[in-house]
Amino acid sequence: MEIQENQRDSWSETESNTSSTRIGYSGPLSGPLVTTTKKNSSKKSARFKDEEYVEITLDVRDDSVSVQNIKGGDSETAFLASQLGRKHPSLGSQLSIKLRQVSHELKRMTSSKRFDKYDRSKSGASRALQGLKFMTKNVGSEGWSEIEARFNELAVNGSLPKSKFGQCIGMKESSEFASELFDALARRRGITTPSIIKAELYEFWQQITDQRFDARLQTFFDMVDKDADGRITEEEVKEIIALSASANKLSKIQERAEEYAALIMEELDPDSLGFIELYNLEMLLLQAPSQSTNPGTDSRVLSQLLSQKLVPTKDHNPIKRGYRGLSYFVEDNWKRIWVIGLWLAVCAALFTWKFIQYKNRAVFDVMGYCVTTAKGAAETLKFNMALILLPVCRNTITWLRSKTKLGMAVPFDDNINFHKVIALGVAIGVGLHAGAHLTCDFPRLLHATDDEYKPMEQFFGEDRPDDYWWFVKGTEGWTGVVMVVLMAVAYTLAQPWFRRNRLSLPKTLKKLTGFNAFWYSHHLFVIVYALFIIHGYYLYLSKKWYKKTTWMYLAVPILLYTCERLTRAFRSGYKTVRILKVAVYPGNVLALHMSKPQGFRYTSGQYVFVNCSAVSTFQWHPFSITSAPGDDYLSIHIRTLGDWTSQLKAVFSKVCQPASTHQSGLLRADMAQRDNQPRLPRLLIDGPYGAPAQDYKKYDVLLLVGLGIGATPLISIVKDVLNNIKQQKEMEEGLVESGIKGNNRKPFATKRAYFYWVTREQGSFEWFRGVMNEVADYDQDRVIELHNYCTSVYEEGDARSALITMLQSLQHAKSGVDIVSETRVKTHFARPNWRKVFKHVAVNHPDQRVGVFYCGAPGLTGELRRLAQDFSRKTTTKFDFHKENF
């Protein structure tokens, strides 16, 4: 390469003024410097053969450089050369560095023809070209304004320290990755100081936000190539794997960095040269199978038509818009509407009936509307105190939803929500009843004249009450006060911010909250109901027994609930289970495999209550069953989130030993394989009980969505579908061998299942690794489509996860095992695009009804429900949404 210089000042003089903080940059792929003659150098780089030259003529002045002429090269060559044509306040040192950088970049571009070996027009390559982005947000001028503002906040004496670089560019959570990126950008510019000024930061920002794939690839290569010799060694590959794994919180990959580095070198360095180059890295990126989270089997035409249908329709008429919204609401919630409507109507009728009744009595002349309000509220209170027991009669509800058709009209899935609504009605009734008595009835009675009090003697006696204490000390008074206090305690501790310990309270008060406080305070209802019956019997204004109706309201519900509790106590007494296997997994998860009690039958999606006397004699906690009905054992997976679960894990951890290399989990105890079996805690179970997920058999197509430990009821469904696949194959093989043409076995309803499991931690995949591998082994017809998502890994296209994607493709192609989940199911990165998930199912299953079952954090419930409603209205596929409740 030749660069002709028309320079008016002495070159040697400007060369001597080079800043001491910079060094001449030789380029990551550059060979030896070529002399400035038009002939090829006699000494050529071993890496650049048959070099081609580009001739650039420059006009160099004191404070500027202009490009006079360019011979050879292409448009990119011209762009690089144009970078020289800028004004420089201190021309000497900067021009020297700039000339070397541009010359070697041009040399690399024109000499190395190996980059053309891979066709970038291929579909996989075109998708990969969109990846390897260092900044996925705030790209462009708007982004720089924010970066500049952060620089001004973080800079020390006008310079940004290397330690603050990640925070400045918005990569605070990946400080190690940002530090390596800083080093790579600094090496390219010859910066050796541990800080940069704003102008240098702007150059860094321009490079990391460059939208060209070649520029992003070069930056990533620079990060790996720490000695800037244009070659990446196995040790450097190992370091960048460990760095990427750390940035994505993949500790297991970090531990096996050396093994994975050898895998990459084996793939990209077949000649055992001991290094790889830029073109190898490019080929790996472009050839790697796309790890897109979007399923690729959709019909393009159907997909486009569906996208057009799903475009939001704008209706400027508020009446039509409101009517459409109301009709959609009624369509989606008609079961809830009629139940709540009936409940409100009964409450209103009871209140009105008692209100009118007391308005026509003599007491109205003294106490007025105060007594009518108090008595109307009391009547609704009797009804609600009776009704509130029914939604928690779990055995009855399970029988009704399993054995009857009432589920078509009654929303059994909302039994706990209805329980909460009735509790609100009780609170309102207590407020109206007690408030009217204490602030209105009693004061009016105390201040009544003798003539006004005369009709009241039959109720309160000839001796008039003289103060509030008279009312409080009576049976009617103290029972009411105690009930209000106990109800207030139970109602308060049942609120989510107390029950889930969401409030920041002092240590002494925090012990009084949490699930244990909720559980024990709720059992104060025994005292409350006893007082409620006494309070309803000793009434001021009703003396005849048949007018004291409290016991009439409560008799049947209390009898039913008592039978429920007796059934549970009796059934759990003989359902002591034998522990078969214990495993403690990453993520604070305890897995228990138990013997199945005789006669214990259940459906996938149901749950059981568990009691461990070693932790608490009285407490029973619900957990989803993770085994399938066809399994010869019963299993549950428990995540330690509170006091009881933490103590349970500690008790069982004592009998466990560290897992061997071929076993999953951190601690394990297999009772069948141990000679000296330790004494295990006694475990009781009660159930099974019905849950929304058990309705999966009604649907031919299932969409199962689990977040973290919320996958437990859905795993049971997946295993049940898998067991059915196995049975079908065994039956077909048996029929073929015996020569029988048909069978009378009832066909399994589910024809297709999509399972999406989203978890934050890599270790979580150990919980159900066996199930995942079984599905991959036996499900040859792809009845079950598994999608695992690890949200700790940055989304596809992010440079921080690029190497993980490469490793994943190589490892899966070589051994069929995913490096993240260590199963045969490939793991997607970041969070799913739920709209695309629904679209994928809708395109594949037109004119069908899909059961959507979700178990996990409530934050996603609204989005999934809205998508189910949206796709049901605008496509021929109908989605029925179900949310798991405990």
Side-chain angles (χ1 to χ4, degrees):
M1 177 183 293
E2 178 184 8
I3 301 180
Q4 297 178 354
E5 303 169 1
N6 298 326
Q7 186 173 355
R8 299 192 178 184
D9 293 339
S10 169
W11 178 255
S12 59
E13 181 180 349
T14 58
E15 183 86 4
S16 63
N17 293 330
T18 303
S19 172
S20 61
T21 63
R22 294 180 178 265
I23 60 174
Y25 179 69
S26 61
L29 292 177
S30 61
L33 288 175
V34 182
T35 56
T36 56
T37 63
K38 288 189 178 181
K39 296 180 181 180
N40 290 352
S41 170
S42 60
K43 183 179 180 181
K44 295 182 180 180
S45 167
R47 297 167 46 246
F48 292 95
K49 307 291 185 181
D50 302 323
E51 293 168 329
E52 298 177 5
Y53 290 88
V54 178
E55 180 180 324
I56 304 175
T57 305
L58 304 176
D59 183 11
V60 182
R61 300 179 183 273
D62 289 340
D63 60 349
S64 65
V65 177
S66 60
V67 180
Q68 298 296 316
N69 188 29
I70 303 175
K71 293 182 181 179
D74 51 16
S75 59
E76 194 168 356
T77 305
F79 172 77
L80 281 171
S82 67
Q83 301 302 301
L84 294 171
R86 295 182 178 179
K87 290 188 177 182
H88 298 273
S90 176
L91 183 63
S93 61
Q94 296 192 27
L95 180 60
S96 172
I97 296 170
K98 205 74 173 179
L99 284 171
R100 294 181 188 180
Q101 291 181 15
V102 173
S103 67
H104 293 310
E105 283 296 316
L106 292 171
K107 179 179 179 181
R108 177 186 64 79
M109 291 163 46
T110 56
S111 64
S112 182
K113 301 298 182 184
R114 292 171 293 186
F115 294 104
D116 298 327
K117 285 186 177 181
Y118 193 81
D119 185 6
R120 293 187 176 185
S121 63
K122 293 180 180 179
S123 60
S126 61
R127 188 188 296 266
L129 288 171
Q130 303 300 318
L132 204 61
K133 295 179 180 179
F134 289 89
M135 302 303 297
T136 56
K137 296 179 181 179
N138 296 331
V139 178
S141 58
E142 294 180 359
W144 168 248
S145 62
E146 296 180 9
I147 301 303
E148 187 177 23
R150 283 201 286 266
F151 175 89
N152 295 332
E153 294 176 5
L154 301 172
V156 179
N157 298 325
S159 296
L160 179 71
K162 175 182 173 180
S163 59
K164 300 290 185 181
F165 178 68
Q167 182 179 353
C168 186
I169 65 173
M171 207 179 281
K172 184 178 180 181
E173 68 280 3
S174 307
S175 56
E176 292 182 15
F177 190 91
S179 178
E180 291 295 335
L181 178 60
F182 179 95
D183 290 340
L185 296 170
R187 279 196 300 270
R188 172 167 282 271
R189 289 160 180 77
I191 300 175
T192 58
T193 55
S195 61
I196 53 174
I197 60 175
K198 186 183 293 187
E200 292 167 338
L201 177 64
Y202 183 68
E203 289 184 22
F204 284 17
W205 177 253
Q206 282 186 313
Q207 183 171 339
I208 62 179
T209 56
D210 195 324
Q211 298 301 298
R212 293 175 301 137
F213 177 75
D214 287 323
R216 300 196 299 270
L217 178 65
Q218 183 66 60
T219 302
F220 188 75
F221 190 92
D222 292 342
M223 288 184 64
V224 188
D225 184 22
K226 294 186 177 182
D227 56 4
D229 64 349
R231 299 172 176 179
I232 300 177
T233 63
E234 186 171 341
E235 184 62 28
E236 289 174 326
V237 172
K238 175 184 173 183
E239 291 179 10
I240 197 65
I241 289 175
L243 179 67
S244 298
S246 174
N248 291 279
K249 299 179 178 63
L250 301 174
S251 57
K252 294 190 176 181
I253 294 180
Q254 194 171 2
E255 294 170 1
R256 301 174 63 182
E258 186 173 353
E259 175 188 340
Y260 291 133
L263 177 66
I264 288 183
M265 296 303 293
E266 178 185 344
E267 176 72 18
L268 300 184
D269 183 25
D271 299 328
S272 300
L273 299 175
F275 62 86
I276 59 176
E277 299 182 277
L278 183 62
Y279 82 97
N280 301 116
L281 196 61
E282 178 190 30
M283 193 157 46
L284 180 61
L285 274 169
L286 299 184
Q287 287 181 339
S290 171
Q291 186 60 29
S292 173
T293 59
N294 307 331
T297 58
D298 295 350
S299 165
R300 180 175 297 180
V301 176
L302 284 174
S303 183
Q304 290 176 350
L305 291 173
L306 193 58
S307 298
Q308 294 173 2
K309 286 184 178 182
L310 292 173
V311 174
T313 54
K314 296 182 179 180
D315 196 335
H316 299 288
N317 189 325
I319 298 177
K320 290 183 178 179
R321 188 167 61 246
Y323 175 76
R324 185 174 63 250
L326 180 62
S327 63
Y328 286 164
F329 178 80
V330 173
E331 180 184 351
D332 296 328
N333 299 280
W334 66 271
K335 291 182 183 180
R336 299 182 181 94
I337 290 173
W338 85 259
V339 170
I340 295 296
L342 178 62
W343 174 69
L344 290 174
V346 172
C347 289
L350 290 173
F351 185 92
T352 304
W353 168 59
K354 193 58 68 170
F355 186 95
I356 295 174
Q357 186 184 85
Y358 271 81
K359 188 178 180 182
N360 296 325
R361 292 183 61 177
V363 294
F364 180 76
D365 297 331
V366 178
M367 299 182 179
Y369 287 104
C370 304
V371 70
T372 56
T373 302
K375 289 302 180 179
E379 204 67 20
T380 63
L381 193 55
K382 297 174 191 176
F383 171 68
N384 286 326
M385 286 293 286
L387 187 63
I388 200 170
L389 294 174
L390 299 183
V392 290
C393 291
R394 291 185 171 88
N395 286 301
T396 304
I397 291 177
T398 300
W399 184 84
L400 289 174
R401 71 185 301 158
S402 303
K403 303 297 183 181
T404 69
K405 301 293 184 181
L406 286 176
M408 299 176 64
V410 179
F412 289 119
D413 293 351
D414 292 316
N415 63 315
I416 299 300
N417 292 329
F418 189 47
H419 177 78
K420 295 176 182 178
V421 170
I422 300 171
L424 178 61
V426 169
I428 294 173
V430 169
L432 288 175
H433 180 73
H437 274 323
L438 296 176
T439 63
C440 189
D441 279 350
F442 297 160
R444 293 189 67 164
L445 188 62
L446 290 172
H447 295 89
T449 63
D450 292 339
D451 292 337
E452 291 173 336
Y453 182 76
K454 192 71 175 175
M456 299 292 101
E457 289 181 354
Q458 57 178 318
F459 305 118
F460 297 97
E462 295 182 1
D463 297 331
R464 294 183 55 177
D466 51 359
D467 55 20
Y468 263 93
W469 178 244
W470 188 93
F471 296 102
V472 174
K473 70 180 181 180
T475 304
E476 303 90 334
W478 71 263
T479 53
V481 171
V482 174
M483 276 194 299
V484 169
V485 172
L486 295 180
M487 285 181 174
V489 171
Y491 190 84
T492 302
L493 294 178
Q495 300 308 308
W497 46 87
F498 285 103
R499 183 163 53 93
R500 299 185 183 275
N501 276 327
R502 293 177 180 172
L503 294 178
S504 298
L505 297 172
K507 215 175 244 187
T508 52
L509 292 179
K510 204 168 187 68
K511 292 180 180 179
L512 301 177
T513 62
F515 186 85
N516 287 349
F518 157 76
W519 193 89
Y520 284 113
S521 65
H522 244 57
H523 281 74
L524 294 173
F525 80 93
V526 176
I527 302 174
V528 170
Y529 274 95
L531 295 175
F532 192 62
I533 294 173
I534 296 172
H535 183 81
Y537 184 79
Y538 291 94
L539 297 178
Y540 290 120
L541 303 177
S542 297
K543 300 302 181 181
K544 296 179 181 179
W545 69 270
Y546 58 85
K547 290 186 177 181
K548 300 175 181 182
T549 57
T550 302
W551 66 273
M552 300 179 187
Y553 279 98
L554 299 180
V556 173
I558 287 181
L559 180 62
L560 180 62
Y561 187 78
T562 302
C563 291
E564 282 266 338
R565 296 304 293 258
L566 290 175
T567 302
R568 288 176 58 178
F570 175 75
R571 185 169 55 187
S572 62
Y574 72 86
K575 285 189 178 178
T576 302
V577 294
R578 182 167 53 89
I579 304 298
L580 303 176
K581 188 186 297 183
V582 181
V584 177
Y585 291 107
N588 289 323
V589 169
L590 172 68
L592 298 175
H593 287 229
M594 303 162 281
S595 60
K596 188 185 294 185
Q598 186 177 3
F600 188 87
R601 296 180 181 179
Y602 65 96
T603 301
S604 291
Q606 292 185 325
Y607 64 96
V608 294
F609 277 85
V610 177
N611 171 270
C612 181
S613 57
V615 178
S616 174
T617 306
F618 303 105
Q619 291 189 45
W620 292 80
H621 293 260
F623 298 101
S624 297
I625 302 172
T626 54
S627 54
D631 295 335
D632 57 359
Y633 63 90
L634 190 68
S635 68
I636 56 175
H637 286 66
I638 302 170
R639 183 152 197 178
T640 56
L641 295 174
D643 298 336
W644 189 88
T645 51
S646 298
Q647 293 173 31
L648 185 72
K649 177 191 168 187
V651 167
F652 278 99
S653 295
K654 293 177 182 178
V655 303
C656 294
Q657 295 178 350
S660 59
T661 54
H662 66 280
Q663 293 178 321
S664 61
L666 303 175
L667 301 171
R668 294 182 70 91
D670 194 337
M671 299 302 119
Q673 300 177 2
R674 295 181 64 171
D675 297 330
N676 298 323
Q677 295 188 5
R679 185 177 179 181
L680 294 172
R682 183 168 177 261
L683 212 62
L684 300 176
I685 64 169
D686 175 43
Y689 291 103
Q694 77 175 60
D695 294 331
Y696 72 97
K697 290 187 176 180
K698 299 178 181 178
Y699 302 94
D700 292 340
V701 182
L702 303 177
L703 176 56
L704 311 173
V705 180
L707 262 59
I709 198 64
T712 48
L714 310 179
I715 282 291
S716 180
I717 296 175
V718 171
K719 291 183 72 175
D720 194 29
V721 176
L722 179 63
N723 287 344
N724 176 73
I725 295 173
K726 292 180 182 179
Q727 292 174 7
Q728 291 281 14
K729 287 186 177 181
E730 291 173 359
M731 188 171 294
E732 290 172 3
E733 292 172 358
L735 291 175
V736 171
E737 292 176 0
S738 61
I740 302 175
K741 294 183 179 180
N743 67 89
N744 297 323
R745 185 176 184 269
K746 185 179 179 181
F748 198 74
T750 303
K751 301 296 186 294
R752 193 69 186 273
Y754 300 87
F755 177 52
Y756 286 81
W757 184 21
V758 185
T759 183
R760 186 185 300 110
E761 302 166 347
Q762 181 188 10
S764 302
F765 294 113
E766 290 190 32
W767 305 345
F768 308 114
R769 182 188 298 170
V771 180
M772 302 292 173
N773 288 328
E774 274 192 277
V775 171
D777 289 336
Y778 289 95
D779 186 19
Q780 302 299 328
D781 299 329
R782 289 185 59 81
V783 174
I784 305 171
E785 190 174 295
L786 301 178
H787 297 272
N788 294 338
Y789 285 81
C790 185
T791 58
S792 70
V793 184
Y794 290 96
E795 62 185 346
E796 177 189 354
D798 195 301
R800 288 168 287 189
S801 62
L803 198 64
I804 305 299
T805 305
M806 298 183 214
L807 277 174
Q808 186 184 47
S809 299
L810 287 176
Q811 178 75 355
H812 204 274
K814 181 181 179 181
S815 62
V817 176
D818 181 69
I819 63 169
V820 179
S821 65
E822 297 183 351
T823 69
R824 295 181 59 187
V825 180
K826 264 195 169 183
T827 303
H828 302 291
F829 301 151
R831 290 175 173 80
N833 184 324
W834 294 113
R835 177 166 285 274
K836 291 183 179 179
V837 169
F838 275 81
K839 180 180 176 182
H840 170 57
V841 177
V843 167
N844 289 340
H845 303 282
D847 302 313
Q848 287 186 278
R849 186 169 292 276
V850 179
V852 183
F853 296 90
Y854 169 66
C855 185
L860 187 60
T861 305
E863 181 181 357
L864 294 179
R865 179 179 281 116
R866 285 192 297 271
L867 286 171
Q869 295 169 352
D870 197 18
F871 277 81
S872 295
R873 295 165 188 150
K874 298 182 179 180
T875 69
T876 59
T877 307
K878 303 305 176 187
F879 293 86
D880 293 341
F881 180 77
H882 304 267
K883 167 68 170 69
E884 194 74 17
N885 294 307
F886 279 126

